[in-house]
Amino acid sequence: MESVALVAPVTALEFAGDVLLAGTGPEVAAFWLSGGGPAAGRRSVLREASVQGLRAEPGGGPAAAAVVRVAAFGGRWLAVLAVRRGGAGGGARLAVCGGGAARELGTRVWEARWAAGGRLALALGGGAVALYEWRGGGRWLRRVRCGGAGALRCAVLAGSGWARLALAAGTAAGAVVVWRAAAAEAPRRRLLGHRGAVLALCYAAPRGLLASASEDRSVRLWALGELGGGAGPGEDGAGACLLVCYGHGARVAAVALRGPCPVSAGEDGACLEWEGGGGVRRARRGHRGALRALALRPAGGGLATGGDDGGVRLWRPRRAAPAPPAAALGAPGRPRAVVLAGPRRVLALGEAGGLAACEAAAGPWVPVPAPSAGPRGLLAAAPLPGGAEALCALAGGDGRLLLFALGCPGAAAELRLFEGAVRGLGWAPRPGLPPATAALLASGPDGEMLWLDVTHRPGQAPRVQLRGRYQLPPCKQRWHTCATFLPQGPLLLCGDRRGSLLLFPCGSSPEPAAESTSIANGSASPAGEDPGSESQPSCLVHKEALPLESPLSVLFGLHGKTGVTSVTCHGDYVYSTGRDGVYRQLRVQGQQLEVLRKHRPCKGLQWIEELRFTPDGDLLVLGFHADNFVVWSTRTGENLHCVPCGGGHRSWSYCSSPEAEAFAFIKSGDVMLHLRAAEPREQQVLLPSLHGREIACVRRLGAVGVPGHAALNVFVTGSEDTTACVLALSEGSRAAVPLVWLSDHISSVRALALAGPAGPSHEGIGDQGLSTLLFSAGGRAQIECYRLLCTGDPASESTVACQVIHVASHRLDEHWERKKNRHKLVKMDPETRYMSLSVMPGTSSEQLPTPWRFLAAACSDGSVRVFGLLEATRKLLLVAESFHHQRCVLKVEAFLHEQAGGQRRHLLCSAATDGTIAFWDITGTITEVMDTLCRAERDTQPQALAAPLLTVTAHSCGVNSLHIRPAPEGRYLVASGSDDGSIHVCLLEVALGGGEETAGTCLRVLERAARPCAHAAHVTGVRVLRPDLLLSASVDQRLTLWRWGLGGLDALSTTFFHVPDLAELDCWEVAEPGGGLQYHCVLCGQGLEMLQGTAPPQAPPPAGPR
């Protein structure tokens, strides 16, 4: 089998002119930076090792501008690449030099350096230094072993010729040892200070500085002068330690020198740039996992990082100086509310109701000559198109509303809205309004909310039209906090202080129900008339002409008791935010709100205030992380803006424009303003990130066809980083593009299952789309269920769009809390983990009277559990369980047996840590559960599964992989792999007695075959491809194809794959144009790899019985 796509940790980075090279697994990817950073090429260079280092040849020859040679090494392998200009699109292309294949040197290569004559100086395992001629067949020119080397962990070389070649190596004991190649019998220097193994070194010859990074989380800077100079042989001469830097939260994996200051990358996911005093000058974060590689760009001051998430990011230097801290503006009186009417104009409302304005450049506060709102006032401002003018709304505790343009505050419109205080006030976006008109919503006592259209008229008071009245549901805090008009129809969506979402009709009447009066120079007049005419009565009495609308749809308490902070429309969906730390995606169907899913953007962001969608496709999340206001980018995973303000409970306002970003807030009775000039994004994603930790499970959804593009395979992965990801894997670019992240789990995601084959069976999905139910489970006994809808989208970067609908969830601790007699029961272990999932076939709505689906789960507490899902009501219930195994159950597989007479049996297979495999008939249990669920009005207690029909001792220890495939004549092949590296295959026959529904089921093992020591490590993946063909994968990174015949299991081929710590394997078939079959498989672990191969011809059937 051959590899067609690979996602692996990025372990090496190097700049070669305008090209950035990244080592990911055995491959080297090139990015053409002058053209905006697109992937210029990707090539596999090492055979059975990951690229641990890339070293570009400095200077080069006359053709250096067109060709740059780069040495790539890892493990015992070495290869030399040529980066040539003039590739596809005018970028770069990669070619292998020196014979076109990697060389196995027989010992580990720790470091490589270009020497005189185009040769390579190498630091080898065991503390050896060598000069190697890579051209031709490859030969050693010189090679010496350094005395007293010990166990090395990293190395760095200096000097161009053999006479001045020096080696500095970091040891596992925490020392840095220096040798001269010409006198390598004993070290010339020994640098002590680290308390853990030294993991990375960097030497700057012009300054004579050496930087070291250690697993003790520190970075040290040493003054050595010439690397090979100093103390004589046998003496413990040490260079001066100039700097000790502590700031990383985990081991430091890479270090580089920019001038006299070190730059480091750690396993905590942070890239830190240090200053001369040992403090952190700049911290860069954005990767989803540990960082492994770091490279500084010689020109321009940028740098690149790569890590375990398989992503590569380019960081541009900051052009502007760091933004100053928030400045106190010294507001007069006691400010009650603050609003930004532009990035440099601040409005403050005092406790007495007076309004003042301050220009950031002008300095002093200027009172706004507008009528006073009185005590307990509210303030809202809406900038008009162009940004030069803004409409202001002031509401007081006496029910009055004042409206005026900020440029002409003397001409104000006054309305008496309520008999009591105005409790909620805010502008709402409304599609289709003229540029000078804005929609305003105000709520008062008894839950009444008014909708007004306000039109700006230069030099006159704004014109106000009352368009609608709405009644909020009864609750303690009965006022709205945010609102928006939906483009899908005449609908108004608002959120209230109780955390509920309310959907109202907003069909306006042809004629306005009432108009406002205006106040100019102290006299009242009807809106639109000249000041000084006779005063008109308030419009309070006219609002009764409009009907009081009730909500069409209510999602009560969706965001908890702390309230809804914003509602936003984007595309065909609605997004709501709250102070519960999540934002929700919704849609409107039949004038009803439906929650699709919830998102938790980042850890620790407990207060989300607003969402902003950028033109380049990014989603910015505004909220509060502890006592800091942050602007979080969901695309890059970083804080774009962070302002210490003390928290979000105070009045604050944020405004961004192409010129500047401003954040104003009230603190200690003063108005504070944080203002900084806008600048381009510092971070550019060259290769998107996947999971930051090991991928524990993977399932293929199917292939999505896109017109004008090749079909893309869509997968779902679950990881130890508590997330699941829907991604598209391209065979052309050999890279993965994440489509959707699922972050509902609170612990690791260890198991995935799909409800039947994915296909275009859902409404709105075309013939080339996919629709399926996804179950994900893992730690903390948590199961989540989603409906995935994947369609082609040629306009997007991945050409595939994925919509996720969260269907249901289940947690065992919540199930236990709902039990009435829980005081008589032993509480479930909160650390229970779901190890495996399997959807029972033949239980869909087509085969059963009610559309229930059943799911089997293998649990770490020794139980096999069965769950029932009713998608229409979004219920996931525990319906049956058994503790037969009495030890951790590792795998579970469900299959359906059907006979010609129409008899059906739902069978279940489970495997545990003692190597036994149990077979169950759960047909009766499912029938009883269906009857109980149809009769019961609420959740029922789970039933007990009957004893297994058959138990087979297949292995001597835990079963890590299990697969069942139907065979001819109603038989089943059961294959399993174990911790001891063995493979077991048995042929199972199912016999039904009596032909009645309640008749017993008999299982017989017809044949068995075992292959001890089939692999050198745990067998974590096994699949039966055909009745005579088996595929197995192991932690030893070997993928083996077996033939099962009369003589047992015979190995046909073995392929090395590049995913360490293999966790799972998934396979599928693809029909070839000629009528043959091609088998594909995907493997997950520390990365993701897809392979393909053609099956060998099927063996002829045996002449006699086996």
Side-chain angles (χ1 to χ4, degrees):
M1 301 187 80
E2 61 175 353
S3 175
V4 295
L6 175 65
V7 179
V10 177
T11 51
L13 291 169
E14 179 78 353
F15 285 98
D18 288 337
V19 178
L20 173 64
L21 302 176
T24 167
E27 301 179 345
V28 174
F31 303 93
W32 181 245
L33 303 182
S34 297
R42 195 179 182 108
R43 188 182 184 95
S44 180
V45 295
L46 302 185
R47 291 180 55 188
E48 297 182 0
S50 297
V51 178
Q52 298 297 328
L54 295 166
R55 300 293 179 263
E57 184 178 14
V67 180
V68 178
R69 293 185 298 192
V70 180
F73 57 90
R76 304 186 305 270
W77 298 85
L78 173 71
V80 178
L81 302 174
V83 182
R84 304 179 186 273
R85 292 189 177 183
R93 57 188 179 91
L94 301 176
V96 181
C97 305
R103 309 272 175 57
E104 186 177 9
L105 303 183
T107 182
R108 175 160 186 170
V109 181
W110 285 106
E111 180 60 277
R113 178 179 174 83
W114 289 94
R119 300 180 175 92
L120 287 173
L122 304 177
L124 306 174
V129 183
L131 195 61
Y132 185 73
E133 176 58 73
W134 56 272
R135 287 164 288 209
R139 58 192 177 94
W140 300 101
L141 301 179
R142 292 196 177 188
R143 185 172 180 176
V144 296
R145 185 179 179 86
C146 302
L152 302 187
R153 300 295 298 273
C154 61
V156 66
L157 292 166
S160 56
W162 182 260
R164 305 195 66 83
L165 186 64
L167 166 68
T171 67
V176 179
V177 190
V178 182
W179 293 272
R180 289 283 293 272
E185 295 80 8
R188 301 188 65 85
R189 291 177 183 267
R190 192 182 300 271
L191 310 179
L192 305 176
H194 285 291
R195 297 183 180 180
V198 180
L199 303 179
L201 294 171
C202 179
Y203 176 67
R207 296 178 179 268
L209 298 177
L210 176 71
S212 59
S214 169
E215 66 179 11
D216 64 0
R217 302 182 297 174
S218 72
V219 176
R220 292 176 180 259
L221 186 64
W222 311 82
L224 294 183
E226 186 181 357
L227 189 61
E235 301 179 11
D236 283 344
C241 183
L242 303 180
L243 201 62
V244 180
C245 305
Y246 281 96
H248 283 282
R251 301 192 304 177
V252 188
V255 67
L257 281 171
R258 172 166 285 160
C261 298
V263 181
S264 59
E267 294 184 1
D268 56 353
C271 176
L272 304 182
E273 188 172 350
W274 304 89
E275 56 187 13
V280 178
R281 175 186 300 170
R282 179 84 178 103
R284 297 176 174 90
R285 292 179 174 87
H287 286 268
R288 301 181 68 91
L291 295 184
R292 299 293 177 190
L294 170 68
L296 303 185
R297 192 174 187 180
L303 60 90
T305 55
D308 284 347
D309 58 359
V312 177
R313 307 199 176 201
L314 181 66
W315 303 83
R316 301 183 180 92
R318 288 280 189 182
R319 296 180 180 177
L329 300 182
R334 293 189 58 188
R336 173 181 174 86
V338 61
V339 170
L340 283 169
R344 300 182 181 274
R345 181 184 294 181
V346 186
L347 302 179
L349 179 65
E351 289 287 352
L355 186 64
C358 177
E359 293 286 344
W365 288 90
V366 178
V368 177
S372 174
R376 295 183 300 166
L378 299 177
L379 173 64
L384 295 176
E389 187 60 278
L391 285 174
C392 292
L394 277 175
D398 55 356
R400 289 185 304 118
L401 176 67
L402 301 173
L403 295 163
F404 57 90
L406 195 58
C408 185
E414 179 182 8
L415 297 92
R416 182 69 180 273
L417 299 181
F418 309 105
E419 293 292 346
V422 179
R423 300 185 178 273
L425 184 68
W427 301 93
R430 184 186 172 199
L433 280 179
T437 304
L440 180 70
L441 293 173
S443 17
D446 301 325
E448 184 181 4
M449 183 174 67
L450 302 180
W451 162 31
L452 305 101
D453 277 352
V454 183
T455 302
H456 170 61
R457 298 182 296 179
Q460 301 181 41
R463 183 186 182 196
V464 184
Q465 295 178 340
L466 180 62
R467 307 303 295 267
R469 296 174 61 218
Y470 305 98
Q471 185 70 41
L472 303 179
C475 61
K476 183 179 179 180
Q477 297 165 320
R478 200 176 178 187
W479 63 86
H480 87 285
T481 55
C482 53
T484 185
F485 289 86
L486 304 185
Q488 292 89 343
L491 297 172
L492 168 65
L493 177 66
C494 70
D496 65 4
R497 182 59 179 80
R498 179 55 182 82
S500 306
L501 287 182
L502 314 169
L503 185 65
F504 294 97
C506 63
S508 58
S509 58
E511 297 295 334
E515 295 189 5
S516 67
T517 60
S518 64
I519 298 177
N521 301 324
S523 62
S525 64
E529 297 183 6
D530 295 332
S533 63
E534 183 179 355
S535 176
Q536 297 293 323
S538 169
C539 69
L540 180 62
V541 296
H542 298 284
K543 69 179 182 180
E544 302 298 332
L546 289 177
L548 192 61
E549 301 283 357
S550 298
L552 301 172
S553 177
V554 178
L555 298 178
F556 183 77
L558 184 66
H559 284 277
K561 296 182 179 180
T562 52
V564 182
T565 54
S566 73
V567 286
T568 308
C569 294
H570 181 71
D572 297 330
Y573 303 105
V574 178
Y575 298 84
S576 65
T577 64
R579 301 179 186 178
D580 53 354
V582 299
Y583 67 91
R584 288 172 168 82
Q585 183 183 16
L586 307 95
R587 66 179 177 184
V588 179
Q589 283 194 336
Q591 295 188 342
Q592 294 295 313
L593 291 171
E594 180 186 2
V595 179
L596 300 182
R597 55 179 299 218
K598 64 179 182 180
H599 305 252
R600 191 174 297 276
C602 69
K603 185 178 180 181
L605 193 62
Q606 297 300 328
W607 181 329
I608 300 179
E609 183 66 25
E610 187 183 349
L611 301 179
R612 296 191 179 183
F613 294 88
T614 62
D616 59 354
D618 196 4
L619 172 59
L620 304 182
V621 181
L622 281 62
F624 292 88
H625 188 287
D627 58 351
N628 298 324
F629 171 78
V630 298
V631 178
W632 176 268
S633 169
T634 57
R635 169 183 286 181
T636 60
E638 63 169 338
N639 278 337
L640 303 180
H641 200 39
C642 183
V643 181
C645 63
H649 59 278
R650 62 198 74 241
S651 177
W652 58 271
S653 180
Y654 173 75
C655 180
S656 64
S657 69
E659 295 79 22
E661 294 181 351
F663 179 73
F665 59 97
I666 297 176
K667 185 176 182 180
S668 301
D670 202 348
V671 177
M672 313 290 291
L673 177 64
H674 180 91
L675 181 64
R676 74 170 186 178
E679 56 184 11
R681 292 281 185 93
E682 181 188 18
Q683 184 179 169
Q684 181 184 1
V685 178
L686 300 181
L687 199 61
S689 299
L690 204 53
H691 294 285
R693 298 182 63 184
E694 178 184 1
I695 303 176
C697 46
V698 62
R699 287 292 182 272
R700 178 180 181 264
L701 293 181
V704 178
V706 183
H709 298 79
L712 289 177
N713 288 292
V714 181
F715 299 89
V716 183
T717 56
S719 171
E720 296 286 344
D721 63 1
T722 74
T723 64
C725 180
V726 183
L727 59 94
L729 200 57
S730 171
E731 299 181 17
S733 63
R734 296 179 60 87
V737 179
L739 303 178
V740 173
W741 290 95
L742 308 176
S743 56
D744 295 304
H745 284 270
I746 60 175
S747 186
S748 60
V749 182
R750 303 183 61 91
L752 297 170
L754 300 176
S761 60
H762 195 272
E763 182 181 357
I765 299 297
D767 296 337
Q768 301 296 324
L770 301 173
S771 172
T772 186
L773 275 176
L774 168 69
F775 296 92
S776 61
R780 296 286 181 170
Q782 181 180 4
I783 300 180
E784 301 290 337
C785 178
Y786 307 90
R787 168 68 66 178
L788 302 182
L789 307 173
C790 299
T791 56
D793 184 10
S796 65
E797 178 184 359
S798 60
T799 69
V800 176
C802 181
Q803 177 187 341
V804 179
I805 303 174
H806 185 265
V807 177
S809 62
H810 186 278
R811 287 179 57 183
L812 281 182
D813 54 352
E814 296 176 354
H815 170 78
W816 185 87
E817 291 292 342
R818 289 195 298 265
K819 292 184 176 181
K820 290 184 177 180
N821 59 342
R822 60 179 181 270
H823 62 282
K824 299 180 181 180
L825 304 175
V826 178
K827 186 176 182 179
M828 53 79 57
D829 183 8
E831 298 298 328
T832 299
R833 301 179 302 278
Y834 291 119
M835 311 300 295
S836 176
L837 296 177
S838 180
V839 177
M840 296 182 184
T843 60
S844 63
S845 58
E846 290 79 9
Q847 292 92 4
L848 295 174
T850 54
W852 283 89
R853 293 183 181 269
F854 292 92
L855 176 75
C859 308
S860 63
D861 60 357
S863 69
V864 175
R865 292 184 168 93
V866 180
F867 297 86
L869 171 70
L870 185 59
E871 186 177 1
T873 60
R874 299 193 173 188
K875 284 186 177 181
L876 183 62
L877 307 176
L878 174 63
V879 297
E881 61 183 351
S882 173
F883 288 85
H884 164 77
H885 285 282
Q886 295 295 316
R887 52 185 49 83
C888 178
V889 185
L890 295 175
K891 291 293 177 181
V892 64
E893 283 285 330
F895 58 103
L896 178 68
H897 175 71
E898 294 183 282
Q899 287 192 343
Q903 299 183 47
R904 300 157 57 91
R905 286 292 183 269
H906 297 283
L907 303 177
L908 186 65
C909 176
S910 59
T913 53
D914 59 353
T916 61
I917 302 176
F919 296 89
W920 317 65
D921 182 1
I922 60 173
T923 308
T925 303
I926 290 182
T927 303
E928 294 178 10
V929 166
M930 291 290 299
D931 295 339
T932 304
L933 292 176
C934 291
R935 294 193 307 265
E937 298 180 356
R938 55 186 180 182
D939 300 349
T940 59
Q941 296 298 325
Q943 300 186 14
L945 292 176
L949 300 175
L950 177 67
T951 300
V952 177
T953 302
H955 303 276
S956 61
C957 51
V959 180
N960 278 326
S961 53
L962 181 67
H963 188 237
I964 300 175
R965 182 184 177 93
E969 301 178 2
R971 299 172 179 178
Y972 299 89
L973 276 172
V974 182
S976 58
S978 175
D979 284 342
D980 57 8
S982 64
I983 298 175
H984 180 272
V985 182
C986 66
L987 183 63
L988 194 70
E989 183 183 53
V990 181
L992 305 181
E996 299 179 0
E997 186 68 24
T998 58
T1001 305
C1002 179
L1003 300 182
R1004 290 189 302 168
V1005 178
L1006 301 181
E1007 298 179 38
R1008 295 179 62 175
R1011 184 67 181 258
C1013 302
H1015 288 272
H1018 310 328
V1019 180
T1020 53
V1022 64
R1023 285 293 185 275
V1024 181
L1025 304 180
R1026 285 189 329 220
D1028 65 330
L1029 209 60
L1030 181 73
L1031 188 67
S1032 65
S1034 169
V1035 180
D1036 62 3
Q1037 295 182 244
R1038 300 298 190 275
L1039 184 69
T1040 305
L1041 189 65
W1042 306 86
R1043 186 186 296 278
W1044 186 35
L1046 293 175
L1049 291 172
D1050 298 321
L1052 298 181
S1053 64
T1054 299
T1055 305
F1056 180 86
F1057 58 87
H1058 302 92
V1059 178
D1061 299 331
L1062 178 72
E1064 199 171 46
L1065 162 73
D1066 193 19
C1067 296
W1068 66 97
E1069 301 174 354
V1070 176
E1072 294 182 330
L1077 282 180
Q1078 196 173 47
Y1079 291 98
H1080 293 244
C1081 69
V1082 61
L1083 307 109
C1084 67
Q1086 293 289 344
L1088 193 71
E1089 186 173 10
M1090 186 170 69
L1091 300 97
Q1092 69 178 13
T1094 303
Q1098 192 164 1
R1106 291 186 180 182

